[in-house]
Amino acid sequence: MKKRIIIAYFGTKDEKAMSELSSFITELQDASSLSCGSISLMHQDISSRLAFSPDEKILILPLLIQKGGTYEKLLSCGAVTAPPLLCRKDDIRECASVINSTLDKKKDHNYILVAHGDEQRTIEEYRTLQEHLRDDVIITALKGKDNYRTLKPHCTGLTLIPFLLTCGHHAKHEIMAGCSKHFASSGYDVSFIENGILSVFPSLKNIFIRHLMELQKE
């Protein structure tokens, strides 16, 4: 049976962010020994767009940070689907190691990783990641029970980093108008890195590449 890999991703209208994401998708396609296409998850009926013939085995590589509603929709399509970035304990430990080794420690300073979150559930993988992060690095979310409004950093200086693959217009607005404004109004000195993890922590790409290599063996 012929096998084909489909890279599933969330696109963006932000040209810089989309260019960065497209470059990584191309890198993954070049690394694959199988036929490798891609599909945007933006405003689409996933199951209808993943229709395939009976003699073809579809393998899905999701460029997602966490498990959640979108990941569950991909699983419901019936194709073998690789895990998102934060899923397996070994991947989470590697993720924390990359973050810890990349960010320079600063006096009286916290790094705040701002993930998307999920309004319908608590993301346990964030908590697991937090267990392996340095004390000055904190993960929070835009949405859900453990969102940034529940956070009280212990340092006066904060650097906000989007914990998203890329940081498009919508994410920038949410973080600037939400997180940054919230912390600044509480007396913190806030700065914002307007790039996602593909740029800030490029070594994290290796986890997705490993998922791709594993997927090819299915």
Side-chain angles (χ1 to χ4, degrees):
M1 181 178 289
K2 182 180 178 182
K3 294 194 290 188
R4 181 159 57 99
I5 291 178
I6 300 296
I7 300 170
Y9 67 95
F10 276 104
T12 171
K13 293 180 180 179
D14 184 305
E15 291 184 6
K16 179 177 178 294
M18 192 62 221
S19 176
E20 185 177 18
L21 183 57
S22 296
S23 178
F24 181 46
I25 291 171
T26 298
E27 183 180 344
L28 289 166
Q29 291 172 327
D30 289 344
S32 176
S33 61
L34 301 176
S35 173
C36 193
S38 63
I39 181 173
S40 172
L41 299 171
M42 295 291 288
H43 313 298
Q44 299 289 346
D45 181 346
I46 298 172
S47 58
S48 66
R49 298 201 65 205
L50 280 174
F52 48 92
S53 60
D55 63 342
E56 185 177 45
K57 183 176 183 179
I58 293 293
L59 310 168
I60 302 176
L61 179 69
L63 298 188
L64 300 174
I65 299 293
Q66 66 198 41
K67 291 189 232 179
T70 300
Y71 185 63
E72 289 176 356
K73 287 179 181 178
L74 288 173
L75 292 177
S76 71
C77 294
V80 175
T81 303
L85 179 70
L86 299 181
C87 183
R88 302 185 302 203
K89 290 183 178 179
D90 286 349
D91 290 338
I92 292 175
R93 282 194 291 267
E94 181 178 342
C95 189
S97 178
V98 168
I99 294 167
N100 291 338
S101 62
T102 301
L103 300 175
D104 295 328
K105 277 198 170 185
K106 299 178 182 179
K107 185 178 180 180
D108 193 25
H109 190 91
N110 282 130
Y111 292 98
I112 310 296
L113 306 176
V114 185
H116 188 273
D118 192 316
E119 293 177 343
Q120 305 301 319
R121 71 197 78 194
T122 298
I123 307 300
E124 294 297 333
E125 291 83 3
Y126 294 168
R127 295 182 181 181
T128 305
L129 176 62
Q130 186 66 66
E131 292 172 2
H132 297 284
L133 291 171
R134 294 187 330 225
D135 291 343
D136 60 320
V137 184
I138 304 169
I139 183 164
T140 188
L142 291 167
K143 305 178 185 299
K145 289 183 178 180
D146 299 325
N147 67 67
Y148 64 89
R149 295 182 182 277
T150 68
L151 188 64
K152 297 188 183 301
H154 56 274
C155 296
T156 58
L158 305 180
T159 297
L160 307 182
I161 304 173
F163 201 69
L164 311 164
L165 287 187
T166 61
C167 187
H169 295 307
H170 182 68
K172 287 176 186 175
H173 174 74
E174 283 203 75
I175 295 174
M176 288 296 291
C179 296
S180 184
K181 188 176 180 179
H182 168 76
F183 289 123
S185 66
S186 299
Y188 292 97
D189 181 12
V190 184
S191 61
F192 175 35
I193 296 178
E194 298 185 20
N195 292 296
I197 63 173
L198 291 181
S199 175
V200 182
F201 309 111
S203 293
L204 293 183
K205 294 178 183 178
N206 293 332
I207 297 176
F208 287 110
I209 292 172
R210 183 166 63 249
H211 291 174
L212 172 69
M213 297 299 128
E214 294 169 353
L215 196 60
Q216 292 181 147
K217 299 176 182 177
E218 293 289 340

